[in-house]
Amino acid sequence: MIGICCVVIVAAVINGIIGTWKAHREETRVQRQLDETRAVIALAYEQFLAEAGLMEEPADAVETSAEVDGDTEGEGAAFALWLSEKYPEEMKTTAAEAAADGVVSSEEAYEVFGATMQVLRDDYRGYLKDAQTAAEHGIYIQQGEDSGNVTVSIAGDLCLEEDGFVIDQYDLTEDLKQCISPEILETAVNADIFYLNHEYTVSERGEALAGKLYTFRAKPERMKILEEMGTDLVSLANNHIYDYGEEGMLDTLEYLDEAEIPYVGGGRNLEEAARPVYYIVNGVKIGFVAASNAELTLYTPAAGEDSPGILEAYDTAAYDQIISRAAKECDYLIAYIHWGPEDVNQYAEYQTAQGKEFLDAGADIVVGGHPHVLQGIEYMDGKPVIYSMGDFWFNGETKYTGLLNLEITPAGSLERMSFTPCLQTGFTTQYLSDAREQREMFDFLEQLSPNIKISDDGTIAEQ
């Protein structure tokens, strides 16, 4: 009996030893795999930084609980360690699978972590720890309508001047849907990001600039219109944001801040006016910058070191640098420029030259305004320049307008660009629902453009 007990005990001990050995072997295997995955991701991150032209700085507020085995030099190793602590299960499973061939592409990183390298980098640096910290870095996080692609809708000029413009029609109806077709509003509201040119001041202070033919100012209560339109971002880089002087512009900035609507191209000083805005949607980072070189007579001041104004681009070198820096910090960059001759559909030669210049500087698309009418669209080396979006909802003139709709992939490419056909008329902006009228409008836009084709569903493609 004692012998049997001894055998059982010995067997139990042996089984325990074997079990411990197997567990240790599995733990060693998992740790080795994790180390290998970290090494591959570290290399991928450093390659991303090199390709983007980024000089990485230490993370702002990242704390890790362990040392990286092996080489601890470089940001790649620290980044990989941070990933393993933030995404422990993914690093052991899907990330390990992606890294098995020794390479992790940006597309694979997005599939594993649900964010691009740009977004992961911001998170790693501590920029995304809360909404306030993100906003301090010009970053806003938004829940997308769908996973994957990001939709951006861009409108032209909006003016809510109180006397003799579209606000008179709005006050008659007190219903925005009777001023802008429901189909247009639905597109704007449903877009992940809706962006337009804010060509007026919002204030009850200041004096109209002496000698200026048109000066535009809206009451603060009109901010609700922007909100009802689903506005996510506005450009202030235009020739009317300073129509009521410094007081009027500063009030406009305050009201936009209160409404939590970010702005680009203008600010309390040059640093603010030049600062890009980034939106993170579906784990993809979209950037926006804006500048103006539209005025023949300079009424609107350039923002100074300690004075409000706009970001000017009469000398384009500074704007090129801003574009170049912003492009390195996002997956897709939209550069707005207020330029061109007014009230003519033909864009000027200098617009073509500058459009190419801004694309070469790093913009993925250039979108223009100021002419108050549509101008053509041109592809340059596969990237589009939209010379003018015209008036969106501005006055009583009858003219074509619309929404430019972009579908941007996590890889930072433009999968689809389309146009929502509209007509501004009678102080309203109407959706063109009739197929024949849509085709006429698309044909008109094609005729203004050197190398595009617009299909019947509004899809714009290079020809």
Side-chain angles (χ1 to χ4, degrees):
M1 190 69 170
I2 294 175
I4 295 174
C5 290
C6 289
V7 170
V8 171
I9 291 171
V10 170
V13 171
I14 292 173
N15 287 336
I17 292 172
I18 293 173
T20 301
W21 175 75
K22 287 182 176 179
H24 176 71
R25 186 177 64 174
E26 176 61 18
E27 183 179 334
T28 301
R29 185 195 67 79
V30 170
Q31 185 61 50
R32 186 186 304 113
Q33 183 184 62
L34 181 58
D35 291 343
E36 291 171 353
T37 302
R38 284 176 180 164
V40 173
I41 288 178
L43 179 61
Y45 185 65
E46 290 174 355
Q47 287 177 337
F48 154 72
L49 294 178
E51 290 171 1
L54 294 165
M55 296 298 292
E56 187 58 82
E57 298 177 355
D60 286 356
V62 176
E63 295 181 359
T64 55
S65 61
E67 294 295 327
V68 180
D69 291 338
D71 182 17
T72 59
E73 297 297 323
E75 284 299 308
F79 173 78
L81 176 57
W82 168 81
L83 267 184
S84 67
E85 295 194 344
K86 185 175 179 68
Y87 301 96
E89 293 305 315
E90 289 85 349
M91 287 292 284
K92 294 175 183 177
T93 55
T94 50
E97 293 172 5
D101 61 354
V103 178
V104 172
S105 67
S106 297
E107 291 77 9
E108 288 175 322
Y110 183 84
E111 291 174 4
V112 172
F113 302 111
T116 66
M117 280 292 196
Q118 288 284 3
V119 176
L120 291 172
R121 173 174 176 256
D122 284 336
D123 198 3
Y124 162 64
R125 293 190 294 176
Y127 291 2
L128 308 183
K129 64 182 180 181
D130 54 51
Q132 179 178 344
T133 302
E136 289 171 358
H137 292 91
I139 301 170
Y140 301 86
I141 303 172
Q142 193 140 296
Q143 183 64 42
E145 288 293 317
D146 298 300
S147 61
N149 287 1
V150 179
T151 59
V152 181
S153 288
I154 303 174
D157 304 333
L158 177 73
C159 179
L160 302 184
E161 156 64 25
E162 294 290 342
D163 185 20
F165 285 72
V166 295
I167 280 297
D168 289 348
Q169 178 67 20
Y170 176 81
D171 286 341
L172 283 174
T173 63
E174 296 185 344
D175 182 2
L176 187 59
K177 291 181 180 179
Q178 294 190 47
C179 300
I180 301 175
S181 293
E183 295 91 339
I184 303 171
L185 293 175
E186 183 178 5
T187 299
V189 171
N190 288 340
D192 294 325
I193 305 168
F194 177 50
Y195 175 46
L196 55 79
N197 178 44
H198 188 287
E199 198 148 9
Y200 60 99
T201 61
V202 182
S203 180
E204 295 179 302
R205 302 192 303 153
E207 297 294 331
L209 295 182
K212 192 171 186 182
L213 182 59
Y214 294 107
T215 53
F216 302 139
R217 179 170 62 174
K219 297 176 183 177
E221 66 194 58
R222 306 304 187 182
M223 289 300 301
K224 65 182 181 182
I225 295 176
L226 279 177
E227 296 171 9
E228 188 175 350
M229 290 167 61
T231 308
D232 296 296
L233 175 71
V234 298
S235 170
L236 303 181
N238 58 63
N239 55 308
H240 286 289
I241 193 60
Y242 204 85
D243 278 357
Y244 282 78
E246 181 173 313
E247 289 181 322
M249 181 169 185
L250 290 175
D251 285 350
T252 305
L253 302 178
E254 288 294 327
Y255 287 119
L256 287 168
D257 286 340
E258 288 178 11
E260 298 183 343
I261 298 176
Y263 42 86
V264 286
R268 297 169 181 83
N269 49 52
L270 179 57
E271 181 181 2
E272 190 172 274
R275 189 179 192 182
V277 163
Y278 303 101
Y279 265 95
I280 293 176
V281 184
N282 297 334
V284 183
K285 190 178 181 185
I286 311 298
F288 300 84
V289 292
S292 174
N293 58 22
E295 287 184 301
L296 299 177
T297 302
L298 296 181
Y299 286 101
T300 309
E305 186 175 343
D306 297 305
S307 59
I310 64 171
L311 180 64
E312 288 187 344
Y314 296 97
D315 179 350
T316 55
Y319 193 36
D320 288 342
Q321 292 177 0
I322 289 167
I323 290 171
S324 180
R325 287 196 297 266
K328 296 175 182 178
E329 298 284 341
C330 62
D331 297 302
Y332 191 89
L333 181 65
I334 298 169
Y336 177 83
I337 180 69
H338 209 66
W339 63 357
E342 292 187 271
D343 299 317
V344 294
N345 297 116
Q346 179 58 51
Y347 51 88
E349 289 185 10
Y350 85 86
Q351 290 173 264
T352 301
Q354 289 184 2
K356 185 177 188 309
E357 180 182 334
F358 299 148
L359 292 177
D360 289 345
D364 291 293
I365 185 172
V366 174
V367 180
H370 179 65
H372 296 294
V373 293
L374 293 179
Q375 292 182 339
I377 297 171
E378 182 172 3
Y379 277 86
M380 300 180 185
D381 299 323
K383 295 181 179 181
V385 174
I386 289 75
Y387 285 107
S388 173
M389 286 296 298
D391 287 344
F392 175 58
W393 189 39
F394 202 98
N395 56 30
E397 297 174 2
T398 297
K399 61 185 75 173
Y400 283 134
T401 184
L403 297 177
L404 183 74
N405 307 302
L406 312 177
E407 295 180 21
I408 302 163
T409 71
S413 62
L414 181 59
E415 183 169 281
R416 181 173 181 260
M417 181 168 70
S418 65
F419 204 86
T420 301
C422 307
L423 185 73
Q424 179 190 264
T425 184
F427 300 99
T428 69
T429 298
Q430 302 293 327
Y431 173 66
L432 293 177
S433 58
D434 181 76
R436 180 183 58 80
E437 292 181 341
Q438 288 186 1
R439 189 64 256 171
E440 288 176 355
M441 190 268 185
F442 295 151
D443 290 344
F444 173 77
L445 191 52
E446 283 182 354
Q447 290 167 9
L448 300 178
S449 307
N451 62 351
I452 70 163
K453 184 68 177 177
I454 307 178
S455 61
D456 289 344
D457 67 353
T459 299
I460 302 169
E462 184 175 11
Q463 187 176 41

